[in-house]
Amino acid sequence: MMGVWGALAGAIVLLLVLLAWVRAEASSKDSRSAWDASLREQVESVEACSPEIVSQIFSANDLKFILGFESPGLERLFRRERTAVALHWVQETSAIISRILQRHLEASRRSADLEIAMEARILLQYAWLKLNCGILFALIGLLGPQRLAGAALHTERLTQRIREALREFQSAAQLREPDGAGTP
Amino acid sequence: MTAMIKPLRVQEAYEDLLQRSLSRIPCDLGRLLYLASTRDYNTGNYHHDGLADRFSVKVARSALEIAHRQAFCKVAALSLEDLARDLATYLQSSRENPEEFLRIWQRLEPYRIAIPMEVSPTVARLFASNVRLALAVLRLRRESDHSDR
């Protein structure tokens, strides 16, 4: 009997996540075309958001401030605006992570002495970050950004960490190849 | 070959800008819009006559660009409550009709011109979204003030 209830609960959770994903997709549709066209290029030239900005996007204090007006219209506008910005941040972060890994793979291909353990760890971190982004993207539409501040800041910290680790890796690789053999 | 700009001169120009021009503006949003207005719409280059005379065109340009980016980051990271307060101060200092000001800002969104080049697209989006929300807050406050009378 417990097994049936467990399966049912699992199916409901899966359905809710799927529903959230569809909602999130729909609300980010307007930004998606612009994103695809130009923002991917911009991602390459700009730094990621600072933790202060991420805290601001997912801030519960702003929601509290808006709720103080007791205006359903203003509250609706706030929720719509913040959800769109939060989804945009997830997309940008996901694109930055892909770009970081792409650069790393390019550097690794040129490297003479690859460390398999190090490469596996980087790939695992990459997969974990991408999964985080996917879950955040699905849950933002369902729970609202304000309840996901902790998860968003965790993703932000991990992104910064992987970025710094790869920077160090690339500097070390350049030091190992002083004659510039690795340059294209 | 372009001449190198000394960072120290840019720092001096930046401090000069803070002291002479920016300190007279009463709010962060006002400072941001002022700095954005020194940027040429067509070329994206910054220009300030007084600063260029005291330093050089290139040094002034760099100082303005840095100041613009810093002012933008500060405003983008403001809480909604602080931004609404800042916007109210800006509205007051503009001496425009508040109703007209809110109507025009909500329709034309002139604040979009204040976004510097090469900022994160998400930060740019957060800024525009927050200003939209702050405008809605000010409008709501005005409407409730009117209905109370």
Side-chain angles (χ1 to χ4, degrees):
Chain A
M1 193 63 185
M2 280 297 285
V4 175
W5 285 114
L8 199 64
I12 289 170
V13 169
L14 192 67
L15 201 69
L16 283 174
V17 170
L18 275 173
L19 193 71
W21 181 277
V22 170
R23 276 188 57 187
E25 279 283 321
S27 59
S28 71
K29 203 180 275 176
D30 61 325
S31 65
R32 184 63 66 85
S33 56
W35 170 263
D36 286 343
S38 65
L39 299 186
R40 262 170 218 262
E41 290 165 24
Q42 288 183 39
V43 157
E44 292 181 24
S45 61
V46 298
E47 282 290 305
C49 291
S50 66
E52 294 81 46
I53 291 291
V54 178
S55 298
Q56 184 55 33
I57 294 169
F58 291 83
S59 163
N61 286 340
D62 283 353
L63 175 63
K64 206 169 136 191
F65 170 66
I66 291 294
L67 291 177
F69 290 95
E70 294 176 353
S71 161
L74 185 63
E75 189 189 331
R76 252 195 319 276
L77 176 69
F78 174 79
R79 289 191 190 278
R80 196 174 59 228
E81 289 280 345
R82 268 306 149 83
T83 299
V85 175
L87 290 173
H88 198 274
W89 173 77
V90 175
Q91 287 176 321
E92 187 182 301
T93 304
S94 183
I96 287 170
I97 297 162
S98 298
R99 187 73 198 144
I100 290 170
L101 188 81
Q102 200 181 329
R103 280 195 189 145
H104 171 70
L105 290 177
E106 282 164 12
S108 297
R109 254 179 248 131
R110 293 195 299 265
S111 176
D113 49 347
L114 268 182
E115 286 181 42
I116 301 297
M118 170 83 163
E119 292 300 309
R121 209 170 61 224
I122 288 169
L123 275 176
L124 269 176
Q125 279 183 337
Y126 169 77
W128 174 242
L129 269 172
K130 280 293 215 185
L131 182 70
N132 266 341
C133 287
I135 292 170
L136 269 173
F137 195 84
L139 291 183
I140 282 168
L142 188 68
L143 303 174
Q146 294 76 30
R147 291 189 188 166
L148 298 163
L153 281 167
H154 173 69
T155 305
E156 166 67 19
R157 274 195 297 271
L158 277 182
T159 308
Q160 292 296 342
R161 209 180 298 161
I162 196 169
R163 186 195 286 263
E164 278 157 24
L166 291 181
R167 259 186 210 145
E168 280 170 22
F169 172 85
Q170 281 171 0
S171 325
Q174 277 168 0
L175 279 175
R176 280 199 299 268
E177 295 164 18
D179 57 346
T183 51
Chain B
M1 196 175 139
T2 53
M4 285 282 285
I5 304 171
K6 288 182 182 164
L8 203 64
R9 290 293 285 165
V10 176
Q11 177 72 26
E12 280 172 35
Y14 174 77
E15 276 160 18
D16 187 275
L17 180 69
L18 287 184
Q19 277 176 1
R20 288 179 197 253
S21 307
L22 299 180
S23 62
R24 293 179 189 170
I25 302 170
C27 56
D28 289 326
L29 190 65
R31 282 185 277 274
L32 171 62
L33 292 169
Y34 170 77
L35 287 164
S37 75
T38 65
R39 182 177 55 179
D40 186 291
Y41 295 140
N42 299 320
T43 63
N45 288 335
Y46 294 83
H47 187 79
H48 185 291
D49 282 335
L51 209 58
D53 286 346
R54 283 190 293 282
F55 297 89
S56 73
V57 172
K58 281 183 181 170
V59 166
R61 187 179 292 168
S62 295
L64 287 163
E65 193 176 346
I66 291 166
H68 184 198
R69 200 171 299 169
Q70 285 188 348
F72 177 78
C73 289
K74 191 173 180 189
V75 173
L78 286 178
S79 70
L80 258 186
E81 190 172 2
D82 289 340
L83 182 63
R85 195 180 302 125
D86 210 67
L87 181 61
T89 307
Y90 180 75
L91 195 158
Q92 214 169 14
S93 69
S94 75
R95 296 190 187 128
E96 299 289 342
N97 176 306
E99 296 294 333
E100 194 63 9
F101 177 99
L102 291 174
R103 193 178 69 82
I104 294 297
W105 269 50
Q106 284 185 315
R107 287 190 72 172
L108 296 181
E109 302 190 336
Y111 48 87
R112 284 181 175 276
I113 210 74
I115 299 170
M117 296 274 282
E118 290 173 17
V119 291
S120 149
T122 300
V123 183
R125 204 177 163 125
L126 175 69
F127 165 78
S129 169
N130 276 353
V131 177
R132 261 197 302 276
L133 286 163
L135 286 166
V137 165
L138 293 197
R139 184 171 282 277
L140 192 75
R141 275 185 186 152
R142 290 195 69 76
E143 282 167 5
S144 62
D145 283 351
H146 282 299
S147 62
D148 286 348
R149 279 177 204 159

